Amino acid sequence: MQLTGSEIVIECLKEHGIDTVFGYPGGTILNIYDELYKHSHEITHILTSHEQGAAHAADGYARATGKVGVCFATSGPGATNLVTGIATAYMDSVPLVAITANVAVPLLGRDSFQEIDIAGVTMPITKHNFIVKDVEKLADTIRRAFVIAKTGRPGPVLVDITKDVTANKAEYTKKEPSIPKRSTSKILDSDIETAVELIKSARRPYIFVGGGAVISEADKELKEFVYKINAPVADTLMGKGAFDGEDLLYTGMLGMHGTKTSNLGVTECDLLITVGARFSDRVVGNPKMFARKAKVLQIDVDPAEINKNILTYSSIIGDIREVLQRLNDRLEQLEHKEWIDRIVELKNKYPLHYKPSKLCGPEIVEKIYEITEGDAIISTEVGQHQMWSAQFFRYKKPRTLITSGGLGTMGYGLGASIGAKLGMKDKLVVNIAGDGCFRMNMNEIATATRYNIPIIQVVINNHVLGMVRQWQTLFYGKRYSNTVLNDKVDFVKLAEAMGAVGIRVTTIDEFEDAFRKAIDLKTPVVIDCQIDEEDKVWPMVAPGAAISETFTAEDLEKKEEN
């Protein structure tokens, strides 16, 4: 049947089971929005306060559900406002399809009103992108975009459609969506056998888990693998929840703000089994000193990650879940009692702790964990609160921490929490922010109230850019250049002005009361938590240092005394 380009866009979304789209209309995309209006009973559109919020919401939806997130924007500034969100998704391998519109084909290249080469702009930060100038190619292009976004290592795909294509007609025939297959073609039996022999011969194996294990939905296979090997487990920020944070074999995060147990344990291990992690600089520290006693076995779906940051002894390329299944089939039960005893000794000697003289970030995160019993989706912004959320909330299931790891996007979490809540309506969703991050996209509270999306926004408010200030304290002689936010902004009044409930707290008892009230209200709530500007994230590894050189506040005090 003959359909307009706009009708084809909507039908292709329906083919792929898309029920929620985030976006903001404008001139060149009006044809698509007009068609979307006719299908509002099938596809819910969330009008965000800003296009960046739409991209982050689509990203949060994708991370929480495992589905492809979709966002819309018009040409020019509408399209460029998506860029930070697209880059965030790219760095963390999130399946996203961004659909933008552009000026009509005759106007391209003429500096027309709101014309921008968004395909050129986003080329380095998308898995692939398209500009559609022929309506006959539109349906197949959109279908390809969804396949590319989900195949292998996921990522964002941009489809830019000229306005005349959205109005022109072409023949459309409905097709069943192509379901991407798990990447198994590069899993070699010889690599599996080598890995099995390495694992069997290791006396001090350590398992290091990254976001690839979450993306692959390999948590069951990972648990079996861990128990068969009888090895301790550390994770990255993106790997949270792939292995149960309450398990006795779990030792916490690795790297700059990882636990002393994980950092020292990986330094002592003789085999580091890396499952879907890319060895970022924040994890590795000094690469020449990283896991120097260990042979590194890296398992990853993306061959480009092998030997990119850390040289491996051996590797297996392929879907994480499939690789772990094959390894589990060939491994017999192993025991490493002496090694586990050593790790337990480190855990007992170096637990995560804090000494609150008044309300502080770790205490807030622990209280959220206690009240929810860990059954919540936590989204975060970026900074000290993000690290406290990683350290003191024990993620028991995958897709329960929604955070910007690779790009470190301040302003990400609020939009992402909206997307996560819409994707997982039965889950409690809490966005934890610092005051600096919250300022960036706090206008999305208006989005939450417009649709009565009952997110809980916790602002850990120290009136400074906390993580930057922490570096200034430790490495820049306490020269606090442009990191003090001690102004007259009132987040409670702002929340109320946007239609949300605002509550300010200064003690842990007040926070508990406010948080329980927020759960009961089932409406957007902003809790402004006043903490001390001197609070810091511990432990820490100085940039460029070996992760074995992790230190705490107590270590600094001893050093200064000497």
Side-chain angles (χ1 to χ4, degrees):
M1 57 181 166
Q2 289 279 313
L3 295 181
T4 66
S6 296
E7 291 171 323
I8 289 170
V9 170
I10 300 303
E11 291 303 319
C12 285
L13 293 181
K14 289 161 59 178
E15 281 179 9
H16 289 85
I18 301 302
D19 56 12
T20 307
V21 173
F22 307 88
Y24 207 98
T28 59
I29 202 170
L30 273 180
N31 290 334
I32 293 175
Y33 268 84
D34 189 53
E35 192 59 35
L36 183 64
Y37 180 86
K38 302 170 189 175
H39 293 267
S40 57
H41 60 292
E42 297 169 286
I43 299 175
T44 298
H45 178 273
I46 301 298
L47 176 65
T48 54
S49 298
H50 190 281
E51 289 91 352
Q52 187 181 139
H56 292 329
D59 174 304
Y61 179 95
R63 295 195 204 215
T65 64
K67 301 175 184 177
V68 177
V70 178
C71 56
F72 283 176
T74 193
S75 62
T80 57
N81 283 344
L82 293 178
V83 168
T84 298
I86 292 170
T88 301
Y90 180 75
M91 291 292 284
D92 290 342
S93 304
V94 178
L96 187 74
V97 171
I99 295 176
T100 58
N102 215 323
V103 298
V105 171
L107 297 176
L108 287 174
R110 297 177 181 273
D111 292 333
S112 304
F113 177 67
Q114 291 195 331
E115 180 193 357
I116 195 77
D117 178 13
I118 193 62
V121 169
T122 60
M123 189 174 293
I125 55 166
T126 51
K127 195 174 176 187
H128 198 78
N129 64 27
F130 304 89
I131 179 166
V132 184
K133 304 176 186 178
D134 182 352
V135 70
E136 299 286 348
K137 298 177 180 179
L138 179 58
D140 286 343
T141 299
I142 293 174
R143 290 165 182 150
R144 279 188 66 197
F146 276 91
V147 171
I148 291 169
K150 282 286 285 184
T151 301
R153 182 177 184 169
V157 179
L158 180 129
V159 181
D160 191 37
I161 310 166
T162 60
K163 185 169 184 178
D164 47 353
V165 166
T166 68
N168 295 340
K169 288 191 173 184
E171 189 67 25
Y172 166 82
T173 303
K174 183 178 179 179
K175 289 186 178 180
E176 287 297 313
S178 176
I179 300 174
K181 296 180 180 179
R182 290 185 175 271
S183 181
T184 59
S185 61
K186 294 184 179 180
I187 304 176
L188 304 179
D189 281 342
S190 58
D191 290 340
I192 295 289
E193 288 300 328
T194 299
V196 168
E197 291 306 312
L198 281 172
I199 293 167
K200 287 166 65 176
S201 62
R203 296 177 60 192
R204 301 185 305 280
Y206 221 112
I207 299 171
F208 173 42
V209 180
V214 174
I215 292 166
S216 181
E217 299 178 331
D219 50 305
K220 292 180 181 178
E221 291 74 14
L222 177 63
K223 183 176 181 179
E224 181 183 348
F225 182 66
V226 171
Y227 285 5
K228 270 200 170 184
I229 295 176
N230 187 223
V233 180
D235 58 16
T236 67
L237 183 66
M238 305 312 300
K240 291 289 175 187
F243 187 73
D244 185 353
E246 289 276 20
D247 197 285
L248 293 176
L249 290 173
Y250 178 70
T251 63
M253 198 162 59
L254 184 69
M256 180 172 283
H257 293 295
T259 64
K260 275 197 171 185
T261 301
S262 291
N263 286 353
L264 296 175
V266 166
T267 302
E268 294 179 17
C269 76
D270 64 1
L271 177 65
L272 183 62
I273 306 166
T274 304
V275 183
R278 60 186 179 85
F279 295 116
S280 81
D281 55 299
R282 288 297 176 98
V283 163
V284 169
N286 184 341
K288 294 179 180 178
M289 302 297 291
F290 181 75
R292 291 186 71 188
K293 298 177 182 178
K295 295 176 179 177
V296 176
L297 168 62
Q298 187 173 2
I299 304 169
D300 206 287
V301 74
D302 186 355
E305 291 297 341
I306 308 300
N307 295 320
K308 186 176 84 174
N309 295 324
I310 292 293
L311 293 178
T312 63
Y313 184 87
S314 185
S315 62
I316 307 172
I317 298 169
D319 177 78
I320 299 295
R321 192 167 86 181
E322 181 66 28
V323 170
L324 291 178
Q325 284 176 345
R326 297 189 191 187
L327 288 172
N328 288 337
D329 288 342
R330 302 192 194 193
L331 282 167
E332 297 176 356
Q333 183 62 50
L334 301 172
E335 296 294 336
H336 300 99
K337 185 177 184 307
E338 289 185 15
W339 176 230
I340 297 300
D341 287 346
R342 167 61 178 158
I343 296 302
V344 170
E345 177 190 342
L346 289 173
K347 286 178 73 172
N348 291 333
K349 187 177 181 180
Y350 301 118
L352 285 172
H353 68 283
Y354 57 94
K355 298 177 181 178
S357 57
K358 58 180 182 178
L359 187 64
C360 68
E363 189 177 30
I364 292 167
V365 174
E366 280 197 332
K367 183 58 68 174
I368 293 171
Y369 184 80
E370 175 192 317
I371 293 171
T372 63
E373 298 180 346
D375 187 17
I377 293 175
I378 304 297
S379 64
T380 81
E381 308 290 347
V382 173
Q384 288 180 317
H385 65 276
Q386 180 188 35
M387 294 298 100
W388 289 324
S389 299
Q391 293 173 329
F392 292 95
F393 195 101
R394 296 182 289 283
Y395 300 89
K396 296 182 280 191
K397 295 180 181 178
R399 302 193 183 281
T400 52
L401 175 62
I402 312 293
T403 192
S404 172
L407 194 62
T409 305
M410 293 176 69
Y412 165 80
L414 180 51
S417 70
I418 290 171
K421 181 62 180 179
L422 288 168
M424 303 295 287
K425 292 183 174 62
D426 294 334
K427 286 287 187 182
L428 180 69
V429 177
V430 183
N431 183 50
I432 301 176
D435 50 318
C437 292
F438 183 58
R439 292 161 182 262
M440 288 197 168
N441 284 324
M442 61 188 175
N443 51 0
E444 298 305 337
I445 289 292
T447 305
T449 58
R450 179 184 298 119
Y451 298 99
N452 195 31
I453 302 168
I455 56 163
I456 301 174
Q457 170 65 66
V458 175
V459 183
I460 298 181
N461 188 352
N462 56 8
H463 300 278
V464 294
L465 297 177
M467 186 60 84
V468 184
R469 189 179 190 277
Q470 177 166 331
W471 281 48
Q472 288 174 333
T473 300
L474 296 174
F475 311 120
Y476 289 85
K478 299 184 179 180
R479 295 182 295 278
Y480 299 123
S481 176
N482 292 285
T483 50
V484 177
L485 304 176
N486 194 17
D487 50 31
K488 297 180 181 180
V489 176
D490 187 326
F491 292 145
V492 171
K493 288 182 179 178
L494 277 167
E496 292 170 349
M498 288 188 277
V501 174
I503 307 170
R504 182 171 293 108
V505 301
T506 58
T507 69
I508 195 63
D509 290 338
E510 289 177 353
F511 175 77
E512 180 170 357
D513 290 344
F515 193 79
R516 291 188 185 278
K517 179 180 178 180
I519 294 173
D520 292 338
L521 284 173
K522 294 181 172 55
T523 192
V525 177
V526 176
I527 306 175
D528 180 11
C529 308
Q530 300 288 315
I531 73 164
D532 194 278
E533 66 182 17
E534 296 298 337
D535 286 356
K536 294 179 176 59
V537 179
W538 304 112
M540 184 174 185
V541 177
I547 61 170
S548 58
E549 297 174 26
T550 179
F551 62 92
T552 63
E554 292 82 2
D555 295 328
L556 276 183
E557 289 170 6
K558 290 177 183 177
K559 185 177 180 181
E560 289 172 359
E561 287 173 3
N562 295 333

